[in-house]
Amino acid sequence: IGSGAVTTAEIRDVSWASEVPAIGSKLMARSRYRAELYSCRVERMDGTTARVVFDVPQDTLTPGQSLVMYSGNKCLGGGILV
């Protein structure tokens, strides 16, 4: 992350505010306040880390930012980009 567009991202300190999404379920995510939501899915979860795969390459992800995930209008939780 940080140089060029990426289709996957690792996050740490993952915390779910409500239900934990099933691996592979379609979600929406954003890494900046009021940024456009983009389609993604969680490919792997391991304790407090996860790998997120985006449907469209992302070029605005920066380590240290939060990645927040949604199911519809419901905020599920997220983690810190590494």
Side-chain angles (χ1 to χ4, degrees), residues 15-44:
S15 177
W16 301 109
S18 56
E19 71 222 41
V20 176
I23 299 294
S25 59
K26 286 289 189 179
L27 303 173
M28 300 298 284
R30 69 168 46 115
S31 62
R32 298 177 191 274
Y33 180 67
R34 293 190 180 175
E36 182 179 338
L37 288 166
Y38 30 89
S39 181
C40 68
R41 59 186 159 74
V42 176
E43 180 179 80
R44 175 191 53 74

Side-chain angles (χ1 to χ4, degrees), residues 9-32 35-45 47-54 61 65-81:
E10 298 287 330
I11 55 175
R12 63 175 170 79
D13 301 333
V14 174
S15 177
W16 301 109
S18 56
E19 71 222 41
V20 176
I23 299 294
S25 59
K26 286 289 189 179
L27 303 173
M28 300 298 284
R30 69 168 46 115
S31 62
R32 298 177 191 274
E36 182 179 338
L37 288 166
Y38 30 89
S39 181
C40 68
R41 59 186 159 74
V42 176
E43 180 179 80
R44 175 191 53 74
M45 284 188 276
T48 60
T49 64
R51 174 178 288 142
V52 179
V53 178
F54 304 100
L61 303 178
Q65 287 183 317
S66 293
L67 183 70
V68 181
M69 290 173 273
Y70 300 82
S71 178
N73 291 330
K74 186 176 186 178
C75 178
L76 298 180
I80 307 298
L81 291 161

